[in-house]
Amino acid sequence: MRSTLRTRRAPHHRRTTARIAAAVVAGALALTVTACGGDDDKDDGKGGDKDGGKESAAALQLPKLDGQKVSVAAVWGGSERKVFLKVLDEFEKRTGADVSFVPAQDPIISFLESKVAGGQPPDVAMLPQVGAIEQAVQNKWAKPVGPEAQKQLEKNYAQGWQDLGAVDGKQYGVYFKAANKSLVWYNTKVFENAGTQEPKTWDDFMKTAQTVYDSGVPPISVAGADGWTLTDWFENIYLSQAGPEKYDQLAKHEIKWTDPSVKEALTTLGELYGKKGFVAGGADGALQTEFPASVKQTFTGGDQPKAGMVFEGDMVSLPISETKAKIGSDAKVFPFPAVGAESPAVVGGDAAVALKDSKGAQALLTFLASPDAAKIWAEAGGFVSPNKSLDLAAYPNDVQRDIAKALIAAGDDIRFDMSDQAPQAFGGTPGKGEWKALQDFLKNPKDVAGTQKALETAAAKAYKD
């Protein structure tokens, strides 16, 4: 089963990429003078409800659930979990429900399978892949959204985001959290000491990395322990280099991973991974580095951190907030460099799916589909919402505001994370499939052919199953 949106968005992608990338550039420029705290322009009427979300808040009706238990499973940890718990706290206050967070492990489908088999599925699961929603439906775990949640979706979401949560025309998922996965964050002191500037092309990026290395700092921090970051590296290079049509074909496995376009992208990525001293800690160190640590080691240590740059989406701002670095002065951002004709723009997201036919589960989906819930995380940073009714003034700085504005403006013309579209056995399982193949590639970036073969073997099995 495949989301219907996948076959409709390819023709419009180039203008969408340009639109989002342009906004990221504008946001990056704004971020150079904007700190992570409050801004003076928050009441400029930049999108969202013109009444600052008050109209939607007043209209949102949630049932009384005094004493009812509602459990929510998600793989979020660290800063993300802390903020999401604040969202759940607000749901508790409004409904009287007793909400519990269930820490899940990747792959979440395997985690849920054990819970279902034991007769203890959570009421709601936050699924980070389109493929995971489809598997939950195929396994007959997922329950369709109720009428109140559907009303919120129709009011607050573009059809494209609704379609991503639908299977065979029936709505199951509520996309609560989105992410722009095409950003590179850098330590400004490192750049200043090296005398280098923000690069715009891949060639310039490699030159910048060399300059940073020559100054005495490893240029790149890679979270190799988290395979999803490696898929994001590949996807950004592939989208920019091979183009959107090839991207869609590979995402649906209409072309094989042995295709020459994959070879070209892996060769480009291998130039970075294989350059001695470019990856902080080397391949072995990177493969033991998880995402939060990859960010923190870039922004701690004064002007001699363990790395000068770290690639990932807007969620990087949360781990930065746990360091002494300040966004806008110590930490800045630039769009992922153009490998081909233009910079890539890859987005991802997490959808809430009900696994029980319970009043509490449907009420939570309704709340998560509202701007009220999105506002709580937006104000904390490290978050972009696909909810078009959320007042953009809720975001804490211009860069996140501009990224969110571009995401909303894109409407149905969005390009979703490739690995998240794949069956989870291939695109979302630690130690297997794409994650394992790219971790092996990080260790041996010269083995392009072997990596392609491993990717195609795993993909063929996963898509067949």
Side-chain angles (χ1 to χ4, degrees):
M1 291 177 286
R2 290 287 174 264
S3 170
T4 56
L5 182 61
R6 294 180 199 171
T7 59
R8 297 195 334 227
R9 59 185 183 225
H12 307 289
H13 175 66
R14 288 200 180 277
R15 74 167 181 263
T16 303
T17 299
R19 189 187 304 152
I20 296 177
V24 172
V25 172
L29 292 173
L31 192 59
T32 63
V33 295
T34 304
C36 193
D39 297 322
D40 292 335
D41 61 352
K42 280 193 175 183
D43 295 320
D44 284 349
K46 295 182 178 181
D49 285 343
K50 63 182 180 180
D51 294 323
K54 294 178 182 178
E55 180 182 347
S56 60
L60 182 64
Q61 297 293 325
L62 295 174
K64 288 298 180 183
L65 302 170
D66 295 335
Q68 293 188 34
K69 296 184 180 299
V70 179
S71 56
V72 186
V75 296
W76 291 325
S79 302
E80 290 183 308
R81 183 185 300 181
K82 289 179 183 178
V83 181
F84 186 55
L85 288 177
K86 292 182 180 179
V87 177
L88 298 181
D89 285 345
E90 179 63 22
F91 177 74
E92 279 189 328
K93 291 177 183 177
R94 295 195 184 195
T95 63
D98 181 7
V99 182
S100 61
F101 180 87
V102 181
Q105 293 83 41
D106 276 319
I108 193 168
I109 285 294
S110 297
F111 173 83
L112 294 175
E113 185 175 22
S114 66
K115 290 293 184 181
V116 172
Q120 294 182 322
D123 291 88
V124 173
M126 306 300 298
L127 302 183
Q129 289 98 9
V130 173
I133 298 175
E134 295 170 347
Q135 285 182 266
V137 173
Q138 188 175 26
N139 293 341
K140 301 186 186 305
W141 303 340
K143 311 302 178 186
V145 303
E148 293 304 316
Q150 186 65 47
K151 287 179 184 177
Q152 288 295 317
L153 283 170
E154 292 172 358
K155 177 182 178 182
N156 302 323
Y157 286 74
Q159 189 62 48
W161 283 100
Q162 294 181 56
D163 288 345
L164 281 171
V167 177
D168 293 342
K170 185 172 289 188
Q171 195 72 41
Y172 291 92
V174 171
Y175 270 90
F176 174 63
K177 185 177 186 290
N180 179 301
K181 293 191 166 190
S182 299
L183 302 172
V184 179
W185 300 74
Y186 66 97
N187 186 309
T188 57
K189 290 181 180 178
V190 170
F191 269 43
E192 288 170 5
N193 290 345
T196 192
Q197 305 293 323
E198 297 177 2
K200 288 183 170 52
T201 67
W202 184 259
D203 288 343
D204 289 341
F205 177 72
M206 292 296 289
K207 291 175 183 176
T208 295
Q210 183 66 55
T211 302
V212 170
Y213 173 77
D214 292 342
S215 75
V217 177
I220 304 295
S221 179
V222 177
D226 290 322
W228 59 269
T229 67
L230 305 183
T231 69
D232 290 347
W233 270 107
F234 171 81
E235 289 160 7
N236 275 274
I237 290 175
Y238 190 82
L239 177 57
S240 181
Q241 191 172 62
E245 289 77 17
K246 283 276 191 182
Y247 184 96
D248 283 341
Q249 290 170 354
L250 188 60
K252 292 180 279 190
H253 202 220
E254 292 176 351
I255 58 174
K256 294 183 177 181
W257 285 83
T258 51
D259 190 85
S261 62
V262 177
K263 177 182 178 180
E264 187 177 12
L266 286 173
T267 300
T268 299
L269 182 56
E271 294 172 0
L272 177 68
Y273 288 170
K275 191 75 171 178
K276 186 177 180 180
F278 269 28
V279 176
D284 290 340
L287 287 168
Q288 297 178 46
T289 303
E290 296 180 341
F291 168 64
S294 74
V295 177
K296 292 176 183 178
Q297 72 179 12
T298 307
F299 297 103
T300 55
D303 60 358
Q304 289 292 314
K306 292 184 178 180
M309 294 178 280
V310 61
F311 153 72
E312 254 313 330
D314 42 83
M315 73 286 286
V316 165
S317 63
L318 277 177
I320 291 178
S321 70
E322 296 180 350
T323 72
K324 294 181 180 180
K326 294 186 181 299
I327 295 176
S329 55
D330 305 315
K332 296 181 182 179
V333 63
F334 58 85
F336 195 96
V339 187
E342 56 188 34
S343 291
V346 177
V347 301
D350 296 87
V353 176
L355 302 184
K356 288 183 180 178
D357 282 319
S358 69
K359 193 175 181 181
Q362 289 298 334
L364 183 57
L365 292 191
T366 301
F367 181 59
L368 294 178
S370 75
D372 302 27
K375 183 175 183 289
I376 297 169
W377 199 329
E379 291 176 337
F383 171 89
V384 176
S385 173
N387 193 312
K388 63 184 180 181
S389 298
L390 173 64
D391 185 357
L392 296 180
Y395 292 99
N397 56 56
D398 279 343
V399 68
Q400 288 182 274
R401 197 170 300 125
D402 286 337
I403 292 170
K405 186 176 182 180
L407 188 75
I408 297 302
D412 296 346
D413 297 332
I414 53 178
R415 187 54 105 267
F416 207 79
D417 182 297
M418 185 190 296
S419 63
D420 287 352
Q421 297 182 54
Q424 195 158 13
F426 176 67
T429 301
K432 295 183 179 180
E434 190 177 2
W435 289 21
K436 176 64 163 60
L438 292 179
Q439 286 174 324
D440 290 344
F441 179 68
L442 173 61
K443 183 174 287 190
N444 185 15
K446 291 183 179 180
D447 189 17
V448 172
T451 302
Q452 284 187 271
K453 183 178 179 180
L455 286 164
E456 176 54 30
T457 299
K461 183 178 185 304
Y463 280 84
K464 182 179 180 180
D465 294 343

